[in-house]
């Protein structure tokens, strides 16, 4: 994958991204089989038509599959809200959790929190990201929150891998994302999604983040939760 003229990701040896694609294809087959058996059927029909992605018009014998990629450091009520909204608009939602261990909460803890927090949603499939989505290989500047030309190249590289290698393996034609009012790097990532994914046949649906105490002026964020925990404000953390 490349982000011309600034960056390229190359691999050597056996396996690599093809092995990861094969794993995702296995995940897709299992999810689609479960959908066909009726475990997840009816989600789209229960949604309001105006809230569905344009791609949802293809509902029928082929499920509408969507992807969410999240760090969840840690999993918050805001994350849960975003996943619930995605589940109301797609038959299958692949929730990919960043696996890189460069966050306050370890990847194992984050993955467990996500699985527990979405257990009530039958059409969610939770999986770790591996090395190919928001990782030190594809997007190293994400972890130092550096907004620069280098970071923008990493964003393009990460999204090109998703669009041309990973989304096809999952059959995902929609990618959901929450709005980002404060973090410049994440906002740039969102903007790049709108630019790069639709030409690859992937619709981008941006959902307004849930506000703390119902206030849109104070969106729930994992950074606010971490700050509350660091300050010993347990009661505040429980609201996030």
């Amino acid at each position: 994958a490349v982000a011309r003229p600034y960056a390229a990701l190359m691999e050597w040896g056996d396996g690599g991204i093809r092995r990861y694609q094969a794993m995702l294809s296995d995940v897709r087959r299992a999810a689609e089989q479960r959908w066909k058996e009726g475990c997840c059927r009816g989600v789209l029909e229960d949604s309001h038509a105006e809230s569905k992605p344009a791609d949802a018009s293809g509902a029928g014998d082929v499920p509408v599959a969507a992807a969410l990629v999240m760090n969840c450091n840690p999993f918050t009520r805001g994350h849960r809200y975003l996943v619930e909204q995605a589940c109301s608009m797609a038959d299958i939602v692949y929730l990919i959790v960043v696996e890189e261990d460069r966050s306050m909460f370890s990847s194992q803890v984050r993955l467990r929190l996500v699985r527990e927090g979405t257990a009530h949603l039958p059409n969610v499939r939770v999986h770790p990201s591996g090395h190919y989505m928001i990782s030190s290989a594809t997007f190293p500047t994400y972890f130092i929150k550096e907004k620069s030309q280098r970071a923008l190249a990493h964003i393009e590289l990460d999204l090109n891998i998703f669009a041309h290698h990973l989304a096809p393996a999952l059959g995902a034609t929609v990618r959901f994302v929450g709005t980002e009012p404060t973090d410049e790097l994440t906002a740039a990532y969102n903007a790049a999604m709108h630019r790069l994914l639709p030409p690859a046949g992937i619709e981008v649906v941006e959902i307004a983040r849930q506000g703390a105490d119902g206030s849109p002026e104070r969106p729930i964020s994992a950074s606010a939760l971490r700050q509350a925990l660091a300050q010993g404000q347990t009661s505040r953390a429980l609201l996030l």
Side-chain angles (χ1 to χ4, degrees):
V2 297
R4 293 186 176 89
Y6 301 105
L9 180 67
M10 296 182 288
E11 293 187 310
W12 68 91
D14 296 330
I17 197 167
R18 287 190 179 87
R19 182 181 298 143
Y20 189 65
Q21 286 176 301
M23 184 275 289
L24 293 180
S25 294
D26 288 342
V27 169
R28 174 185 179 180
R29 280 191 289 272
E32 290 182 353
Q33 182 60 38
R34 182 172 179 180
W35 179 81
K36 289 175 183 177
E37 292 171 355
C39 295
C40 304
R41 198 175 291 275
V43 175
L44 282 173
E45 287 75 2
D46 292 339
S47 304
H48 294 295
E50 63 270 17
S51 68
K52 297 178 188 176
D55 216 49
S57 60
D61 292 333
V62 178
V64 175
L68 275 163
V69 182
M70 294 178 163
N71 193 22
C72 299
N73 182 39
F75 188 73
T76 68
R77 293 177 186 269
H79 288 124
R80 185 180 65 186
Y81 172 79
L82 177 57
V83 179
E84 288 172 342
Q85 293 302 302
C87 285
S88 73
M89 292 185 271
D91 293 308
I92 301 170
V93 174
Y94 298 106
L95 175 47
I96 311 299
V97 181
V98 173
E99 193 171 3
E100 196 86 17
D101 260 326
R102 296 180 62 179
S103 300
M104 177 179 175
F105 292 82
S106 71
S107 60
Q108 288 186 340
V109 169
R110 288 184 286 108
L111 197 61
R112 177 174 58 80
L113 292 175
V114 171
R115 284 176 170 150
E116 290 176 356
T118 60
H120 63 296
L121 300 167
N123 53 334
V124 171
R125 292 288 162 281
V126 179
H127 292 278
S129 65
H131 301 297
Y132 301 104
M133 284 184 271
I134 308 185
S135 70
S136 291
T138 66
F139 193 180
T141 40
Y142 171 82
F143 300 98
I144 58 175
K145 296 300 181 183
E146 170 196 309
K147 187 183 178 186
S148 61
Q149 187 61 56
R150 181 173 65 165
L152 296 178
H154 291 156
I155 287 172
E156 185 169 341
L157 184 68
D158 187 86
L159 290 173
N160 279 334
I161 292 170
F162 174 81
H164 300 291
H165 298 279
L166 308 183
L170 289 170
T173 57
V174 183
R175 180 150 170 183
F176 288 99
V177 64
T179 54
E180 182 48 67
T182 58
D183 187 288
E184 289 188 359
L185 187 62
T186 304
Y189 190 90
N190 287 2
M193 273 195 275
H194 285 285
R195 177 170 56 87
L196 297 172
L197 297 189
I202 302 167
E203 183 178 2
V204 178
V205 178
E206 197 163 352
I207 298 173
R209 285 166 58 173
Q210 188 179 42
D213 300 323
S215 171
E217 290 78 20
R218 295 193 303 119
I220 293 173
S221 71
S223 59
L225 195 157
R226 293 194 303 271
Q227 183 181 46
L229 291 174
Q231 295 172 350
Q233 298 176 353
T234 308
S235 58
R236 179 186 168 213
L238 290 173
L239 297 174
L240 300 174

